[in-house]
Amino acid sequence: MIRFDRIWVNVQLATMVTGATDRGEIRDGALGVCDGKIAWIGPRAELPESVAAETRDGAGGWLLPGLIDCHTHLVFGGDRCGEFEERLEGVPYAEIARRGGGIRRSVEGTRAASPEQLHRSAEQRLRRLIGEGVTTVEIKSGYGLETETELRMLRAARKLGAEGFVSVVTSFLGAHAFPAGMDRDAYVDLVCGPMLDAVAAEGLADAVDAFCETIAFSPAETERVFQAARAKGLPVKLHADQISDSGAAALAARHGALSCDHVEYTGEDGVRAMAEAGSVAVLLPGAFYMLREKQKPPVELFRRHGVPMAVATDANPGSSPLLSPLLAMNMACVLFGLTPYEALLGMTAHAARALGLAADRGTLEVGKRADLSLWRIGRPAELCYWMGYGGGLLVERVIGGKPSTPARVGLV
Ligand code: DI6
Ligand code: FE
């Protein structure tokens, strides 16, 4: 006799287990949870004798892993709508950055914001992600570029996680841009030394990220940041090859990066290096769309070399003010040519892997954390099909086996 804390019945299951037959789909399934973990999953007809403290009827809906947005910059002050207008008039993103706008504009807004303002504005945005089934979100720093503000951003992110409605994974992105008026070497020294020391001492980062690009950190500077990160035992990831191919993905792979993100300009050598290192390619179609880029990521090469592809919103005030994970999946299909199944893997199993959490979540399997999303849809691909209807499709989210409280997170 199995005892469950809770069991879902009358559901279709999309387990997102890669390599399973029928894409891991189970019709008329059941899923039982115990102590926050998935304790049993399979066709309802095969359910062994069991008792459950609570039975939830899924009304024939589809149960998936909770969605995982593995690349966001949700915490920031101010906005960059003015630059959006400039870009529409033809000023390129890189040109705006060179003039001191872009990321530096958000740095001004973020430095000026109080901890409460940072927390409250990020929470508003987080509600939109949660309202579309997100149960784990990665949040980066990188709009402080000075120790105190970087710490403030990461603390705000940790606080959002501590509230319990979503798991928050943080990345320290001190190497996002160079602060105005500071010598490059001196800033890299600061990031690799006192800044990273302070971040690590407070346990504020789960990984270290950098922006390796002609308009940002050079490969040599990125290398220094990675060495410092690894000396602290922190995994690395990289904004790589977004607007040019500087061999950034290969560099990140050499450091065993969890993921290489953007990767539009990554060539076959880089893809091969990622495959060998097991790095995930995080595709960010929101930034591609918003910046009206032309170069698409090498999806066919990723498939051929077996590099897992994740999909994320890249939610940020400049290049991707996108707060809809479902629209990100739609864009990954329409703009980059992913199949809906690949896009769904990109926001579940592969996103978990990009965060180093594959053993714990991202698929519906016995022993994994019971983070779930239940949807009123006829088939999983529908999640990639509608545009702007995500909240209407979500029936409930489940965090660690417990249905989340919709009122507190703005779902009702
Ligand atoms: N690439 C991105 O997509 C974000 N950072 C980066 O290096 C966006 C940065 C921004 O424009 O604020
Ligand atoms: Fe980004």
Side-chain angles (χ1 to χ4, degrees), residues 63-355:
L63 196 59
L64 275 81
L67 299 187
I68 299 174
D69 193 349
C70 69
H71 179 139
T72 85
H73 308 248
L74 267 194
V75 173
F76 57 83
D79 71 85
R80 307 238 295 276
C81 186
E83 284 173 19
F84 170 57
E85 293 183 277
E86 280 183 67
R87 283 202 310 273
L88 289 174
E89 283 160 19
V91 187
Y93 182 64
E95 174 59 25
I96 290 172
R98 268 191 292 270
R99 290 181 191 171
I103 291 168
R104 282 186 189 168
R105 174 67 42 86
S106 293
V107 170
E108 287 164 23
T110 305
R111 287 179 179 176
S114 69
E116 293 69 35
Q117 285 168 329
L118 281 184
H119 172 260
R120 220 173 318 115
S121 63
E123 189 183 51
Q124 290 303 318
R125 294 185 278 270
L126 183 58
R127 283 179 189 204
R128 302 275 68 84
L129 303 184
I130 286 172
E132 290 193 1
V134 167
T135 52
T136 298
V137 61
E138 184 258 19
I139 301 177
K140 302 172 194 298
S141 67
Y143 292 122
L145 311 186
E146 65 185 9
T147 306
E148 236 353 275
T149 313
E150 289 290 308
L151 294 175
R152 206 154 72 234
M153 291 183 75
L154 291 168
R155 287 185 197 125
R158 283 280 193 242
K159 186 169 172 199
L160 292 168
E163 289 171 348
F165 303 112
V166 69
S167 296
V168 171
V169 176
T170 56
S171 300
F172 169 54
L173 178 57
H176 195 193
F178 287 93
M182 191 160 176
D183 172 72
R184 289 179 79 101
D185 272 347
Y187 185 62
V188 178
D189 286 346
L190 176 65
V191 168
C192 297
M195 221 185 245
L196 184 58
D197 285 346
V199 167
E202 256 187 74
L204 286 173
D206 299 308
V208 172
D209 195 352
F211 184 21
C212 184
E213 191 53 65
T214 44
I215 56 167
F217 290 71
S218 70
E221 289 159 344
T222 303
E223 191 105 40
R224 287 189 54 203
V225 174
F226 281 1
Q227 272 156 3
R230 295 183 67 197
K232 294 262 187 237
L234 288 168
V236 300
K237 54 175 71 177
L238 190 61
H239 283 74
D241 305 330
Q242 180 184 2
I243 43 188
S244 65
D245 182 6
S246 55
L251 182 156
R254 276 203 302 284
H255 287 266
L258 288 170
S259 68
C260 301
D261 303 36
H262 288 287
V263 293
E264 278 88 342
Y265 283 82
T266 302
E268 189 156 11
D269 285 352
V271 174
R272 211 177 279 119
M274 288 171 67
E276 278 162 21
S279 305
V280 175
V282 177
L283 308 185
L284 305 169
F288 174 89
Y289 163 83
M290 194 69 178
L291 300 180
R292 295 194 282 192
E293 295 289 345
K294 297 285 180 293
Q295 172 97 15
K296 299 181 185 189
V299 166
E300 198 42 55
L301 288 176
F302 290 136
R303 286 185 185 129
R304 201 178 316 143
H305 291 276
V307 173
M309 291 177 279
V311 176
T313 59
D314 194 13
N316 76 64
S319 61
S320 187
L322 171 61
L323 294 165
S324 166
L326 298 202
L327 187 54
M329 287 196 285
N330 171 276
M331 288 175 166
C333 295
V334 174
L335 300 175
F336 293 166
L338 265 62
T339 66
Y341 176 59
E342 285 176 319
L344 286 163
L345 284 175
M347 280 253 170
T348 55
H350 293 167
R353 190 164 157 186
L355 297 178

